[in-house]
């Protein structure tokens, strides 16, 4: 796929527009509780941590130590993660067997070499440690309310993002077994009008990669719907757990 660069505009837009309010993440917290089994003293690796909002949440929710790895200078400049390290998923700057769990949120579709990333995770994690992948997989983009207004963006996800089955197979080849796969809902915004108010195309990979006419047409549809919709915006993403 054409890969999005997390340059200055993208990082600024991501920081401003992609953080879901913590009270909308109750189901994510419950799912992470179940699969991570957080305990004092554990070290969690956040790969492709971006602006560090998950790293901060994990530190606040569980009091665990989080090591956040992020390749983009612009994302790192906006991150507030407690321990933030420059690095890439396919060449983790970490010792073998040094971590108790890994978290990758909306990262796998950015990885040019997923097998290398899976092998690196196998190397740095202790045996049995879980990898939690939060992702929009190919065929699942219609679970994101915003993207439903942009059918070309849904097609782009379907055509270029990995399928869940592919990711499972790649991790299996690296020595992991699939422990769980489930859909997890979040309250992304109080209303569609709030989504529209906060929308910055640069914050969303599929919206950045469709052409300008397709984006303009989707925006018109979104404006029309936002004028009358009143309910909170609920989105669903997938959680894949490997050990
Ligand atoms: C959509 S953002 C997600 C950020 C964060 N995980 C979150 O959910 O808020 C994708 C992130 O993956 C990072 N990324 C891209 N290629 C990567 C690679 N090879 N290794 C690690 N991270 C990568 C990007 O720089 C970006 O910060």
């Amino acid at each position: 796929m054409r890969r999005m660069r997390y340059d200055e505009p993208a990082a600024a837009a991501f920081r401003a527009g992609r953080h879901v309010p913590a009270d909308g993440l109750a189901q994510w917290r419950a799912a992470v509780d179940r699969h991570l089994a957080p305990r004092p003293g554990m070290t969690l690796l956040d790969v492709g941590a971006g602006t560090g909002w998950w790293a901060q949440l994990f530190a606040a929710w569980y009091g665990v130590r989080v090591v956040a790895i992020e390749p983009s200078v612009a994302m790192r400049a906006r991150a507030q993660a407690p321990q933030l390290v420059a690095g890439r998923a396919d060449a983790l700057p970490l010792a073998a067997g040094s971590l108790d769990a890994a978290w990758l949120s909306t990262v796998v579709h950015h990885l040019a070499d997923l097998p290398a990333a899976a092998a690196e995770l196998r190397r740095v994690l202790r045996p049995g440690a879980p990898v939690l992948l939060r992702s929009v997989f190919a065929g699942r983009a219609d679970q994101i309310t915003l993207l439903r207004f942009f059918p070309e963006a849904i097609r782009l996800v379907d055509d270029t993002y990995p399928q869940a089955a592919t990711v499972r197979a790649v991790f299996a080849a690296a020595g992991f077994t699939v422990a769980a796969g489930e859909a997890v809902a979040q309250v992304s915004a109080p209303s569609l009008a709030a989504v529209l108010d906060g929308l910055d195309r640069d914050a969303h990979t599929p919206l950045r990669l469709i052409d300008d006419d397709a984006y303009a047409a989707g925006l018109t549809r979104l404006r029309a719907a936002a004028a009358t919709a009143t309910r909170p915006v609920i989105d669903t993403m997938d959680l894949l757990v490997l050990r």
Side-chain angles (χ1 to χ4, degrees):
M1 70 176 279
R2 281 185 294 147
R3 283 173 210 287
M4 176 162 150
R5 287 183 53 237
Y6 280 90
D7 51 14
E8 282 295 321
F14 192 92
R15 180 75 187 77
R18 282 284 298 276
H19 294 199
V20 175
D23 59 2
L25 294 172
Q27 291 193 36
W28 275 105
R29 183 169 181 174
V32 172
D33 282 357
R34 280 197 303 281
H35 298 294
L36 183 64
R39 59 188 185 282
M42 83 185 294
T43 303
L44 171 81
L45 171 64
D46 183 359
V47 180
T51 48
W53 65 291
W54 284 104
Q56 281 186 297
L57 282 173
F58 287 138
W61 285 348
Y62 306 125
V64 298
R65 175 173 168 248
V66 183
V67 177
I69 300 283
E70 171 54 46
S72 155
V73 174
M75 293 293 256
R76 287 202 309 275
R78 290 164 176 81
Q80 289 164 341
Q83 192 176 345
L84 182 64
V85 182
R88 306 171 49 83
D90 50 281
L92 293 169
L94 299 163
S98 59
L99 297 142
D100 300 303
W103 170 255
L104 289 84
S105 165
T106 60
V107 170
V108 289
H109 55 279
H110 291 291
L111 302 181
D113 192 344
L114 188 57
E120 274 294 82
L121 286 164
R122 185 64 284 164
R123 180 182 69 79
V124 301
L125 288 171
R126 298 197 171 94
V131 178
L132 278 64
L133 298 176
R134 172 179 180 264
S135 202
V136 177
F137 294 112
R140 304 281 292 157
D142 62 346
Q143 301 299 303
I144 306 294
T145 308
L146 173 63
L147 296 185
R148 286 186 213 134
F149 296 94
F150 300 88
E152 295 83 356
I154 291 193
R155 272 202 294 282
L156 183 136
V157 172
D158 289 347
D159 292 347
T160 64
Y161 282 33
Q163 294 184 347
T166 305
V167 176
R168 286 169 185 244
V170 167
F171 275 79
F176 288 92
T177 55
V178 178
E182 61 184 270
V184 182
Q186 64 187 42
V187 184
S188 297
S191 66
L192 210 48
V195 171
L196 181 61
D197 278 351
L199 181 60
D200 185 331
R201 182 180 181 182
D202 280 339
H204 303 269
T205 302
L207 299 187
R208 213 180 182 201
L209 296 179
I210 59 176
D211 70 37
D212 291 347
D213 288 346
Y215 182 72
L219 201 52
T220 301
R221 287 188 286 271
L222 175 59
R223 285 197 181 109
T228 54
T230 53
R231 294 181 183 202
V233 174
I234 313 243
D235 295 322
T236 300
M237 298 175 68
D238 289 309
L239 173 64
L240 187 56
V241 183
L242 307 121
R243 288 181 187 276

